Amino acid sequence: MHKLHLLALAFLAAAGSPEAAAADINRSAITMPAGACQSALPVFDGVIRKRPLGVQNEGTTAAFVTCGATTPGQARTSRVVLAFNNSNSHDVTIACTLVAGYTESTAVYRPQSVTIPANWGDAMFWVPTQLPSGIPYFASAAFSCTLPPGTGITRVQTSYTEDVGQ
């Protein structure tokens, strides 16, 4: 009888096990702007200062900055956020455009702006409902921002879902 049980167990093991079901986990990645952003043109290099806690326009005119968000390759990005500071004694408006996609022919452009009170901070975010119908998440995310003098980017953040197996 003992041999019969061992034979049955061997048969079940040889038959294989069902594939593990996918398990999604929600994650968030924050990249400091010193690693994610740079001046958009050499002409802005002299006024954009990369600080440990932000990328700041220290010039007297607006400057353009480009940032790229970090997301693992197979993750499905569900939200992207840029946070800003305003060190001026007056309100300022920062304008950015999200560029989602891998090529010029497939990229989606979504502009946005936020008015930030004097000596304060604020953020702007994008979610998939801002994408064309049928696109459920951001394949990639990069930004082009116009920073008025005395303003800076303090955080680049992505929220995403990742399949981690069972």
Side-chain angles (χ1 to χ4, degrees), residues 60-87:
T60 57
T61 60
F64 292 90
V65 174
T66 300
C67 303
T70 301
T71 304
Q74 298 302 316
R76 298 174 306 277
T77 303
S78 58
R79 180 179 166 121
V80 289
V81 179
L82 287 179
F84 307 94
N85 73 328
N86 174 13
S87 60

Side-chain angles (χ1 to χ4, degrees), residues 4 18 36 42 64 70 72 79-80 92 95 125 139 150 156 162:
L4 187 57
F64 292 90
T70 301
R79 180 179 166 121
V80 289
V92 296
F125 65 92
V156 179
E162 188 173 23

Side-chain angles (χ1 to χ4, degrees), residues 20 29 41 62 97 121 156:
L41 295 169
T97 299
V156 179

Side-chain angles (χ1 to χ4, degrees), residues 24-39:
D24 288 342
I25 188 167
N26 294 322
R27 298 185 188 270
S28 185
I30 296 174
T31 306
M32 298 307 291
C37 304
Q38 61 187 339
S39 62

Side-chain angles (χ1 to χ4, degrees), residues 1-14:
M1 197 69 142
H2 180 66
K3 289 183 182 180
L4 187 57
H5 286 307
L6 290 176
L7 186 60
L9 287 174
F11 175 76
L12 289 174

